[in-house]
Amino acid sequence: MDVRTAVEARVGSGEVHGAAWLVDRAGDVTSGAAGITAPDTIFRISSVTKPVVAALAAQLVEQGLLSLDDPVDRLLPELADRRVLRSPDGPIDDTVPADRPITVQDVLEFRLGLGMDFTGPFPGTVLGALAELGMPVGPPAPQAAPGPDEWMRVVGNVPLSHQPGARWLYNTGAQVLGVLVARAAGRPLPELLAERLLDPLGMTDTGFHVPPDRLGRFGRQWLGSDVYDEPDGQWAAPPAFPDAAAGLVSTVADLHAFAASLRTADPSWRTARHGDHGGGEGWGLGIGVKVVDLPDGRHAGTYGWDGGLGSTWWTDPVTDTIAILLTTDAWTSPQPSAVFEDFWAAAF
C-alpha cells in the first residue's frame, strides 16, 4: 500500500478528520493531503516541538552559550539546591537533599528529576502538586500557564521526583529547556527560535501561535468525537509561556525543511544515549532515537518524535528517508492510532 492510499483510507473511513503528509526518499519528495483544503494547512504539532527546540539548544552549545556539563544553577537559580522525594510516590514533604546539581545535559536528556513517569500512575506526587498550584500538567494548553519566570518560580517550589541523572521522565525537561535557552541567549524563546532556526530554514508557518491572517489555514483539533480546540482558540494568540515541550504549530513543508537540515548536522546529538522507553526507543540530546529495527521498516538509528495531538516525524538515515504526517486528531491512547501504523509501513 502506498502512502496516499494508506492515509486516504483512514480519512475516508472517518477515523481521522484531516491529514497532510510528506515523504522524502533521498531527495525524491511526494506529499499530499486528505480531508483538508490544502497541504499547507497549519497543525498543532505538540511533542514534535521537543526536537525543534533541542536543535536550537544544540546551536547554543556549539556557540559556547551553554555547556552540557555545566550546572543550570546560574541560569535557573530556581532549580539550585534541590530537595528530592525520599520515595517517588511518597508524601510531598518527605525529602532528602539532591546528590548533585542539575546539569544542562540532564535537562536535554530528560533526566533532571522532573516529569511524567510512564511506569506509574498519572500525575504522581510532584506533578499532582504542580496541578494543585494551578499549573497545566496534562495535554497542551498554551493559554493556561503563567510566564516563564513565574512558571520557574512555581516549579522551583516543589521537590524533584528522582535524583538528577537517575531516571528518564517525560515532558517537563523540554519545558525547562525552553526557559534555559532563552535565558542563556537573553531573548524570549519565540524571538530566539525564529532568529536562529525558523527564519534561516524558511519555516515561515512555524511558531507558538497562528497570526490572524493565517487562521484560514488552521483547522479544528479533535479528541475522539469531541472538539479539543477551535481555529480561534488557544493557539490564536501568543501564549504567556512558550511551551518548548508541546506548543508549536507547523506545516509538513516547514518540518521537512527542519528535517532536511539535519541530514548533514553533527549526528552525536541524535545518538541514543540511554534507555529504551518503549517501542524500541531511546533518548538522545532532546530527540527520540530507535534503538532496534522495527517491523514497519524503520531501522535502528532512526530519529524524530511523535506528537500526541496527532503528528509524527521520523528520519531513517539508513535509507535516507524522511516521513512526516500531521493530522487533526489527537491520539486517544498511548498507542498510535491505525493511520500512523499504516503511514510508517507505507513510508518506510
Side-chain angles (χ1 to χ4, degrees):
M1 185 185 301
D2 63 22
V3 169
R4 180 178 296 277
T5 301
V7 178
E8 287 183 348
R10 296 297 177 180
V11 173
S13 70
E15 296 173 54
V16 180
H17 289 82
W21 69 88
L22 183 148
V23 178
D24 175 344
R25 297 184 176 92
D28 181 11
V29 179
T30 59
S31 62
I36 56 177
T37 56
D40 67 348
T41 292
I42 300 171
F43 294 83
R44 305 156 185 82
I45 64 170
S46 52
S47 286
V48 181
T49 301
K50 292 175 171 67
V52 176
V53 178
L56 171 65
Q59 287 189 13
L60 300 191
V61 171
E62 291 169 0
Q63 294 163 9
L65 291 176
L66 288 172
S67 175
L68 294 178
D69 296 330
D70 281 351
V72 300
D73 298 11
R74 178 179 63 84
L75 292 169
L76 302 175
E78 299 92 341
L79 296 183
D81 302 319
R82 290 290 75 209
R83 303 288 299 183
V84 184
L85 290 182
R86 189 181 304 275
S87 171
D89 56 358
I92 194 72
D93 57 354
D94 185 11
T95 65
V96 297
D99 292 339
R100 63 167 176 81
I102 298 167
T103 67
V104 173
Q105 183 163 327
D106 291 331
V107 175
L108 272 164
E109 291 187 353
F110 283 22
R111 296 203 290 181
L112 73 165
L114 286 169
M116 300 178 189
D117 186 346
F118 289 159
T119 66
F122 180 82
T125 299
V126 172
L127 292 188
L130 289 175
E132 290 178 2
L133 293 170
M135 299 281 272
V137 298
Q143 300 301 327
D149 291 347
E150 176 63 10
W151 189 91
M152 284 302 312
R153 185 194 69 78
V154 176
V155 170
N157 279 327
V158 299
L160 305 181
S161 297
H162 294 271
Q163 290 286 347
R167 188 176 179 87
W168 185 89
L169 299 169
Y170 191 57
N171 203 65
T172 309
Q175 295 176 306
V176 171
L177 181 65
V179 182
L180 179 65
V181 295
R183 289 186 181 178
R187 301 285 301 282
L189 180 60
E191 295 178 15
L192 180 67
L193 188 64
E195 177 185 284
R196 289 179 174 259
L197 190 73
L198 304 181
D199 291 350
L201 293 178
M203 298 173 66
T204 56
D205 286 319
T206 303
F208 289 100
H209 79 289
V210 180
D213 62 344
R214 301 181 190 182
L215 286 176
R217 293 194 283 124
F218 189 50
R220 281 178 170 170
Q221 176 70 45
W222 296 85
L223 180 59
S225 59
D226 297 324
V227 176
Y228 179 75
D229 190 61
E230 294 283 6
D232 61 353
Q234 292 204 74
W235 277 266
F241 181 73
D243 187 350
L248 286 177
V249 298
S250 192
T251 63
V252 290
D254 278 13
L255 287 178
H256 178 230
F258 171 70
S261 75
L262 300 182
R263 278 181 161 137
T264 57
D266 181 354
S268 62
W269 76 288
R270 51 180 169 82
T271 299
R273 305 171 80 88
H274 62 86
D276 180 344
H277 309 301
E281 292 175 14
W283 191 253
L285 289 172
I287 195 167
V289 186
K290 299 300 180 183
V291 296
V292 297
D293 292 347
L294 298 181
D296 60 30
R298 287 176 286 179
H299 294 86
T302 297
Y303 58 92
W305 206 245
D306 302 317
L309 292 186
S311 57
T312 187
W313 152 58
W314 292 94
T315 295
D316 185 343
V318 175
T319 59
D320 195 16
T321 299
I322 296 168
I324 299 162
L325 172 66
L326 305 181
T327 78
T328 58
D329 294 69
W331 293 18
T332 55
S333 79
Q335 300 304 314
S337 55
V339 67
F340 290 93
E341 295 178 337
D342 291 353
F343 172 75
W344 293 325
F348 292 105

